Amino acid sequence: MSGISPFTASKQPPLILVADDDKTIRVLLRKAMEQEGYRVVEVNDGKQCLDAYETIKPDIVLLDAVMPVMDGFTCCKHLLQIARNNLISALASFDTNSTLNNTVISKIWERTPILMITCLDDEESVNRAFDAGATDYVTKPIHWPVLRQRLRRLLQQGQVYKQLEAANQALQQLANVDGLTELANRRRFDDYLNTQWINLAQEGSSLSMILCDIDYFKFYNDKYGHPAGDICLQKVGAVLNMKVQKHQDLVARYGGEEFAVIMPHTHASGAVHVAAMIQAGIRDLQIVHDGSVVSQYVTLSMGVATVIPTWESSPSDLIVRADKALYQAKAGGRDRFVSSF
C-alpha cells in the first residue's frame, strides 16, 4: 500500500482509490488520473481497499473484479455494507440529536461511487458487479476516453449530492434553530418532546422539563434597548446550554424571553439539580438590570416538572405542570425555581 494519509482540505482535487493486483494497470491508472488533476492512492487487493477506504475517505473507488485475498465483488459488498451501517447509525441517533449536523439524508449520500474495472465482460459478471453494489462498470483493455468520461460523470454526481446535502442542512438549520440564540426553536422543541414522550412511554422512564423566564425582561428592553436585550438572550441561552447534563437533553428558545429544557431519563432530583446550576450560572453572569425589582442583575424564574409518560397522557400535560410551577415561582417573588412532582 502506498501514499495513504488522511485528507481534510475540502477544496483539494478529488481523491481516487485504485484497487488492482496488476501493478502495470495501477501505474497506468495513476498516470491517467493524475493527468486529469486527481489525487490517487493505490492498493493491491480488496482487503487493502477496505483499510484504505476507512483511512482516506476517497471520492471514488476504481475496483478490479479479480484480485487475491479479497476479490472486487466481495470488497464491493463490504463497501456497500459500510454505507448501510452509517445509515442505520444515523437513523438510530436522529431523534436524540439536538444539533442536526449529522442528518439521515447526509448518511444516505455518504456512499462513495464504485467503478468496477475488469476483464470479465460476460452478462453474469456484469450483473454480479451491479448486484454487489457497483455504481458503474468498464472492461479491460481500458478505453481511456470512456473511463475519463465515466469518472467525470460520477464525480459530478457526487458534487451535486454534496451541494444538495448542504442545502438540505441549511434548510433544516432554518427550520429547527432559533436564529438569535442558535438554540433549538419552538418547532424543534415540539417535535423532540413528542418523540421522547413516545419513547419513554414504551420504556416507562421519567421525563423532566424546565420552563425558564427572564424576570422583568420588558423593563430590560425598555431601559437598555432591544440590541442589548438580544445580547442578554444570547448570554442566558448559552448558560442554559452549558448547564445541561446529558447529550440527549434539549435546550430550546420557547418564545420571547422564555426558554425550555427537555431532559429524558431524568428524575425530579436531577431536574432540580440542573435548575439550581442554571440559576447559579445566570447569577454569575452579573448582567446589570436596573429595571428589576428583585435584583440588580438579570435573574430567572423557573418551573420544574417531572412525569413518567403514558399512552393515556400527553406531552401537553408536562408543559402545563411546568408552566404552573413557573407561575408559582413568579408569584413567590421571582429569581427562584419551583418544582412540581
Side-chain angles (χ1 to χ4, degrees):
M1 193 182 302
S2 63
I4 295 180
S5 61
F7 295 85
T8 57
S10 59
K11 293 185 179 180
Q12 287 186 328
L15 178 60
I16 315 296
L17 174 58
V18 175
D20 198 307
D21 62 317
D22 188 326
K23 184 176 181 180
T24 300
I25 293 295
R26 292 202 311 274
V27 170
L28 291 173
L29 285 169
R30 174 183 281 276
K31 288 182 178 179
M33 297 303 97
E34 289 179 344
Q35 285 177 357
E36 295 293 309
Y38 305 139
R39 296 172 294 146
V40 180
V41 169
E42 55 184 270
V43 294
N44 301 326
D45 57 58
K47 179 63 171 63
Q48 289 185 359
C49 180
L50 292 177
D51 294 339
Y53 178 85
E54 295 284 6
T55 304
I56 66 174
K57 305 299 183 186
D59 295 289
I60 193 168
V61 178
L62 303 187
L63 188 61
D64 186 24
V66 181
M67 295 182 291
V69 184
M70 179 186 291
D71 62 43
F73 301 111
T74 304
C75 178
C76 197
K77 289 180 180 178
H78 282 293
L79 291 172
L80 188 62
Q81 189 60 49
I82 290 173
R84 288 172 177 164
N85 290 341
N86 288 336
L87 177 56
I88 291 170
S89 175
L91 287 169
S93 62
F94 183 66
D95 283 332
T96 59
N97 240 338
S98 61
T99 59
L100 294 180
N101 291 327
N102 204 9
T103 63
V104 171
I105 201 161
S106 72
K107 287 297 182 183
I108 295 172
W109 286 341
E110 192 178 81
R111 181 188 165 193
T112 303
I114 302 169
L115 180 60
M116 193 82 79
I117 302 178
T118 180
C119 59
L120 302 173
D121 60 355
D122 58 283
E123 183 177 354
E124 181 182 354
S125 296
V126 173
N127 290 337
R128 187 182 175 194
F130 285 116
D131 288 343
T135 313
D136 207 343
Y137 187 101
V138 295
T139 58
K140 298 177 182 178
I142 297 172
H143 192 273
W144 296 103
V146 171
L147 177 61
R148 290 189 182 95
Q149 288 302 319
R150 298 276 178 88
L151 270 176
R152 288 172 187 167
R153 178 177 60 81
L154 291 174
L155 288 170
Q156 286 171 355
Q157 286 179 352
Q159 185 61 33
V160 169
Y161 287 156
K162 289 178 181 178
Q163 290 171 351
L164 288 171
E165 176 189 338
N168 177 73
Q169 291 184 349
L171 288 173
Q172 287 187 333
Q173 185 82 357
L174 290 173
N176 293 284
V177 176
D178 175 63
L180 177 65
T181 63
E182 297 186 353
L183 300 173
N185 61 13
R186 180 61 180 271
R187 173 178 175 174
R188 174 61 177 156
F189 168 87
D190 291 335
D191 289 344
Y192 192 71
L193 179 59
N194 289 332
T195 298
Q196 290 303 320
W197 192 271
I198 294 171
N199 292 340
L200 297 174
Q202 292 174 324
E203 299 175 15
S205 185
S206 57
L207 175 63
S208 291
M209 178 183 295
I210 305 174
L211 287 183
C212 314
D213 187 272
I214 300 177
D215 295 325
Y216 301 107
F217 188 69
K218 182 182 183 303
F219 295 160
Y220 187 94
N221 272 335
D222 290 344
K223 183 173 181 61
Y224 301 105
H226 288 281
D230 288 346
I231 294 173
C232 177
L233 289 169
Q234 291 171 336
K235 289 181 177 180
V236 170
V239 168
L240 266 68
N241 205 36
M242 181 177 62
K243 297 300 181 181
V244 296
Q245 296 296 289
K246 304 184 294 295
H247 73 277
Q248 68 262 36
D249 293 348
L250 180 79
V251 180
R253 187 179 179 191
Y254 193 69
E257 68 272 22
E258 292 183 316
F259 297 86
V261 184
I262 300 173
M263 295 175 287
H265 304 287
T266 301
H267 297 292
S269 59
V272 166
H273 177 68
V274 173
M277 289 199 304
I278 290 172
Q279 187 179 49
I282 298 301
R283 287 174 177 169
D284 288 343
L285 286 176
Q286 294 192 339
I287 302 173
V288 176
H289 186 0
D290 289 339
S292 174
V293 178
V294 297
S295 173
Q296 62 179 318
Y297 302 117
V298 166
T299 57
L300 284 185
S301 296
M302 290 176 281
V304 185
T306 301
V307 299
I308 296 179
T310 66
W311 300 113
E312 292 74 28
S313 56
S314 72
S316 61
D317 297 333
L318 179 60
I319 297 175
V320 167
R321 294 181 64 171
D323 192 56
K324 286 182 177 179
L326 174 59
Y327 176 82
Q328 292 172 3
K330 291 181 179 180
R334 305 182 190 245
D335 187 21
R336 67 195 62 206
F337 59 86
V338 171
S339 300
S340 171
F341 303 131

